[in-house]
Amino acid sequence: MFHENDLIVYGNTGVCRVKAIGTLEGISAANPERIYYTLEPIYDSKGTIYAPVDSKVFMRLVMSPDEARDLIAKIPEIPVKTVESQNQRIISDQYESSLSSHKCEDLVGLIRTIYVRNKKAADNGKKPAQVDERYMKRAKELFYGEMAAALGINFKDVELYIKDSVESKGAATH
């Protein structure tokens, strides 16, 4: 069970702060016998989320600063996956499986994979596919959100922080 003020990853919402834990008074749809987390998304203004503590929605604590720095150091070693199909539905399913694993390594792999695909498209005079743009945006939101929370830095500074960290180790991020 989480505690008040914990930062957690909640489903595909991303990082949320646990504002309260308890029964929900005055919300007619809430079961008065159930205990809920009151969650406040950190990087999304979707409002408050009321999640039963026994919910099937994925939840875990945000990684520690040391875990975040270790992951950033491993970024050059995280493999780029090959996407064999041209079928947008199959590609979307592959990308979705990376998002739904809720593992930062999979998010990094997805970002790197889409980066390579977009570079190849640009080299061939083509624009990135919409499915690539959509999943790149979502993967970055989730990954950068957790890195910002773990490292205590501004969300907008995460990409440069990662780039500088990886380059100082002498490796390329893509």
Side-chain angles (χ1 to χ4, degrees), residues 122-142:
D123 290 348
N124 291 324
K126 297 180 181 179
K127 291 180 3 184
Q130 285 183 343
V131 70
D132 289 339
E133 289 180 334
R134 186 173 64 248
Y135 279 95
M136 175 70 93
K137 180 179 187 282
R138 191 68 194 126
K140 283 184 172 183
E141 288 170 349
L142 293 169

Side-chain angles (χ1 to χ4, degrees), residues 22-25 27-36 52-54:
T23 58
L24 298 178
E25 305 291 327
I27 298 178
S28 61
N31 180 340
E33 311 277 319
R34 264 179 126 174
I35 305 294
Y36 292 81
V53 296
D54 60 351

